[in-house]
Every structure is written in C-alpha cells, then in structure tokens.
Amino acid sequence: AVLVLNFGILAFLKYFDFAARSVHSLLGAVGLDIAMPDFKLVLPLGISFYTFQTMGYVIDVYRGKFRAAKNPAKFALFASFFPQIVQGPISFYSDLSGKLYEGHDISFSNIKQGVLLITWGFFKKLVIADRLVNTVLTIPAEYEKHSGTVILITALFYAVQLYADFSGGIDISRGVSQLFGIDLAENFRRPYFSRNISEYWHRWHITLGAWLREYLFYPIAMSKLFQKFGRSLKKHFGMKISKVLPVSIASLITFLVVGIWHGADWKYVGFGMWNGLIIMVSTLIEDKYPVWKSKLHIKDTNPLFILFQMVRTFLIVLVGYYFDIAPGFLAAVNMMWRSITDFHISELADPAIFDALGVSSASLILVAIAVLALLVCSIVQECSGRTLREMICSKGFWAEAGVFLLLFWVVAIFGVYGPGTNPAEFVYMQF
C-alpha cells in the first residue's frame, strides 16, 4: 500500500498531463473531441530522487534486511539530506544511515577535500556545460532551419554538456556532504570510456542503475511468471533461449522505466526503447562475439579494438541523446536522419557555423581546452584506478592549495555567471 501510494503520487504529478494529452489525441484520431482535465500540476523539486530513496528503504524493511527506524527525526534526515535531494545520488539506507547517524567532528581534511570537489564541480558546470547549453536548447527547437552538420554538432555538444552538468552537480553534492564528513555514493565512473552499452549504464548514474537492478530488474527476472516463461521456452527452444530471453525482456522493461522516468513524453519512451533493445540484442548474440573475434583475429587487449569499442558505444549512446534534446519522438528521428543525409564536412571550416550554433569561436576554444583537461584527468584516473583527489591529497597541502586556487580562478574568470548571463539550472533537477 505504501509503494502504491508513493509511486501513485509520483506518477500522478509527473504523468497525468501527458496521459491526458495522449488520450485526447487518441480520441481525436477516431473523431471524438472530449476535453481532458488540465490541472497544470507543479512538480515538487527532487520528488523522483527522494521517492526512489525512501521506497528502497520500505522494500528493504519488508524484505527483512534491517528493522524499521524508530526515530522519525533520523528517518527524516535520511529522506531529506539536503545535498542529494535535488538530483541525487540515490542512496541506500544501509549505506547512508550509519554515516548520517554517527558523530562527526569538524575536520580540516574533510573541508579541504570537500571544497576541492565542489570547485571541480563548478568547473564542469560553469566553464563547460553552461557555455553549450544555449545551443542545446535552441537548435533542436528549430532544427528544420539548420543543416544536418549543425544538428550533429549540437548532439555532440549535448553529450559534453549533459555529462559536465550532471557529473558537476553530483560533485558539488558530494563535496558539500564531504564538508560534514559524509561520503555519498559515487555516481559516475568515466562513462564515455565504456566498451559496450551495458558497461556504460554501470558507469553512468550508478546509483539509479543500482536501485533499478535491486528493486525492479531482479524482481522481474526472478519472478514466478518469468521462471515459468523460461521453463516453457526451454521445452520449445532449448537452454540458451530459456536463459537469455527472459533476462533480456526484464532488461527491456527496466529501460522503458528509465525512459519514462526521464520525462512524460513519447520521446523518452523512445529513449528507453532504444537502450533496452540494444542491450536485449547484445545479450541474445553475446555468445557470438568470441567466434567473430577469433575469425577476425582480434584480441580484447588490442588498443585499436578497445578504441573502436569506445567509439562504437559512444555513437550508440549519442543516438539515444537525440531523444533527449528533440522536441518530440518524430523530431528526434528526423534530426537523426538529417544528421546523416545532410552532413557536409565543408561546413566545419566555414566561420558562419559559429553564428548557426549561436556560440563564439572564443567560447568554443575555451570549451575545447576545458574538455581536453577533463579528458586528460579522466585518462589518468582510468589508468591509475585512483581518484584525482586521492592523487592530489597524497602530494601534500601545497599541492591541494595550488590545484584549488587554479580551479577557483579558472571558474572565476571563465565561468558563465553574473549580470548579463542566463543561469541554467542543472539538467537532472527536472527529473
């Protein structure tokens, strides 16, 4: 009952207007013009994040993983811990509660590390993301006026802007928590280095993926209905299909939920379907990969093959991003088509492209330098297996102070803020 009530509230607030519009359009297609109620609902800030977090707690209590909290003030602290309430990360009660309830002394080490992470987050948000956000918002809204070249560049801008915006916001949230001595869960692990789409979703928005696996994917895949379905498949199609197909369908359902969670629009259904189908097909043909690689004499450790896998995965992810930025589902498909059929490499050398994109050459150069710095830092972390903060802090106080001052002045000088600017909210605040 608690799950139905809370998810019902979330569904009503997020999806009633969308459902009403869809029903009205469907009835209109058969000649019925029936007015649907329009409540003009206002979505509470962060409702998806704290609903998922608290319902995870309820499910864990029901499963007997731990006893229900007896102190309402402590539970309220877990449910509304302010650094994460706007855009995550989504925490498990078993991970966060102990950190919140134990005593914390003011620590200079925590303050240093927290401030460093906060400044790094502002670097991503103000220097990179907010310099690209205007292009990402304006071009898709009038994509018919632009060439496929401009549309493709806009999609690439969005890939950079979304990552810098969301990961930067999470860095700020985790940094603020660090000031209080509380380590929030990691939410990003260099997702654009992923070699396949499944790995990407294990590196991107890690806490949402963990929540969905624990409370949606596994319950569906291990349900009596799916087990019965698997046994039926085994009789008619053999062991392989009986194991792979139910899991693939459970994965597809999970990604449909991911798509719908992102927004009340058919384009987000398309986003979920695209990612779900790619993972479903990949799972079904997974046993063919070793055979193909053997025939082509390709080794998994080959650097060129690894680079190919990363580029291939990024392009698959990029297709999904079209659904994010487009005004609607059909617009996303049209934008993809134009990106392929109306792409002209000569436009890249034409200065007029800066006017079309609505961004100056100076801003693009600055973004390119900032992204290159971000890329170098990511490569170092990927190769070393250590976070930047660990590496910097191991060098002593003056290294920490030097990096902080460098980041601070870069943000202060090159960040997008202040009079005459249009501050952009964090992308994931709307979810």
Side-chain angles (χ1 to χ4, degrees):
V2 174
L3 295 178
V4 172
L5 175 63
N6 282 273
F7 283 122
I9 293 172
L10 176 64
F12 178 75
L13 290 173
K14 285 191 73 170
Y15 307 113
F16 178 82
D17 289 341
F18 166 66
R21 292 195 305 270
S22 298
V23 170
H24 184 265
S25 298
L26 184 63
L27 293 175
V30 295
L32 298 175
D33 186 13
I34 299 177
M36 293 287 124
D38 183 9
F39 295 129
K40 300 187 183 303
L41 298 170
V42 177
L43 195 65
L45 191 64
I47 185 172
S48 292
F49 293 97
Y50 62 73
T51 298
F52 274 41
Q53 184 158 303
T54 52
M55 291 307 96
Y57 161 83
V58 169
I59 295 170
D60 283 344
V61 170
Y62 175 78
R63 291 175 175 176
K65 288 189 173 182
F66 44 76
R67 303 180 71 176
K70 296 182 179 180
N71 188 324
K74 286 186 175 181
F75 176 75
L77 175 61
F78 163 75
S80 60
F81 184 51
F82 74 94
Q84 63 174 16
I85 199 169
V86 173
Q87 57 178 345
I90 301 169
S91 298
F92 290 93
Y93 185 81
S94 56
D95 294 333
L96 183 59
S97 59
K99 299 174 184 177
L100 290 174
Y101 303 159
E102 66 187 15
H104 294 281
D105 296 324
I106 295 177
S107 166
F108 184 54
S109 175
N110 284 331
I111 292 174
K112 287 189 299 180
Q113 293 187 46
V115 168
L116 197 59
L117 191 55
I118 290 168
T119 313
W120 180 241
F122 276 118
F123 168 78
K124 292 180 184 177
K125 170 65 174 171
L126 297 179
V127 178
I128 299 176
D130 284 3
R131 286 190 175 275
L132 300 176
V133 67
N134 184 61
T135 302
V136 170
L137 292 175
T138 56
I139 299 297
E142 47 184 24
Y143 72 92
E144 300 95 337
K145 300 178 182 178
H146 300 283
S147 67
T149 312
V150 171
I151 294 171
L152 177 59
I153 293 173
T154 301
L156 292 170
F157 277 10
Y158 179 68
V160 175
Q161 182 251 335
L162 178 65
Y163 175 74
D165 183 285
F166 191 21
S167 69
I170 293 295
D171 287 343
I172 294 170
S173 298
R174 296 184 69 219
V176 170
S177 296
Q178 185 73 56
L179 299 178
F180 300 96
I182 297 169
D183 294 316
L184 291 180
E186 182 183 21
N187 214 38
F188 289 89
R189 197 177 298 119
R190 300 166 295 282
Y192 292 153
F193 288 165
S194 303
R195 297 170 65 174
N196 56 63
I197 193 68
S198 294
E199 182 185 352
Y200 168 83
W201 283 108
H202 281 84
R203 288 171 172 254
W204 176 278
H205 207 342
I206 296 170
T207 56
L208 175 63
W211 195 99
L212 290 169
R213 282 192 300 275
E214 180 69 21
Y215 303 118
L216 183 62
F217 172 75
Y218 289 134
I220 292 175
M222 302 302 293
S223 66
K224 292 181 179 179
L225 176 62
F226 271 64
Q227 289 180 2
K228 183 178 179 181
F229 178 50
R231 289 193 295 269
S232 176
L233 289 172
K234 184 177 179 181
K235 292 180 182 178
H236 297 90
F237 301 100
M239 180 65 74
K240 178 193 170 183
I241 295 297
S242 69
K243 286 185 175 181
V244 174
L245 189 57
V247 172
S248 300
I249 294 175
S251 179
L252 179 62
I253 293 171
T254 301
F255 275 95
L256 275 174
V257 172
V258 170
I260 295 170
W261 176 83
H262 277 80
D265 197 294
W266 286 109
K267 67 176 185 175
Y268 293 116
V269 176
F271 173 84
M273 281 291 293
W274 168 252
N275 285 279
L277 286 172
I278 290 293
I279 290 181
M280 184 177 181
V281 172
S282 298
T283 304
L284 290 171
I285 63 174
E286 188 173 16
D287 61 334
K288 302 295 183 183
Y289 296 149
V291 178
W292 295 338
K293 285 185 287 188
S294 177
K295 289 182 177 180
L296 295 171
H297 304 290
I298 296 174
K299 293 182 179 181
D300 286 332
T301 55
N302 186 313
L304 289 178
F305 181 61
I306 293 173
L307 180 60
F308 162 76
Q309 289 179 304
M310 290 180 179
V311 173
R312 176 200 61 190
T313 303
F314 176 77
L315 292 176
I316 291 172
V317 170
L318 191 67
V319 170
Y321 285 164
Y322 276 84
F323 292 105
D324 273 357
I325 62 177
F329 179 87
L330 291 179
V333 176
N334 289 332
M335 286 171 63
M336 290 180 221
W337 180 248
R338 289 178 65 117
S339 295
I340 298 170
T341 60
D342 191 30
F343 178 81
H344 307 285
I345 197 167
S346 59
E347 283 188 71
L348 300 178
D350 187 351
I353 199 168
F354 297 115
D355 295 329
L357 291 168
V359 61
S360 68
S361 57
S363 278
L364 278 185
I365 292 171
L366 178 59
V367 168
I369 294 172
V371 169
L372 181 61
L374 180 59
L375 176 62
V376 170
C377 292
S378 298
I379 291 172
V380 170
Q381 290 181 89
E382 188 75 8
C383 294
S384 67
R386 302 172 66 196
T387 66
L388 281 176
R389 284 193 300 167
E390 289 174 344
M391 290 183 239
I392 295 167
C393 292
S394 67
K395 301 299 182 181
F397 172 77
W398 292 111
E400 295 172 318
V403 172
F404 164 70
L405 288 173
L406 175 63
L407 283 174
F408 176 83
W409 285 113
V410 168
V411 173
I413 296 170
F414 300 110
V416 178
Y417 64 93
T421 61
N422 184 20
E425 66 179 18
F426 288 99
V427 174
Y428 269 68
M429 286 176 62
Q430 63 183 303
F431 303 140

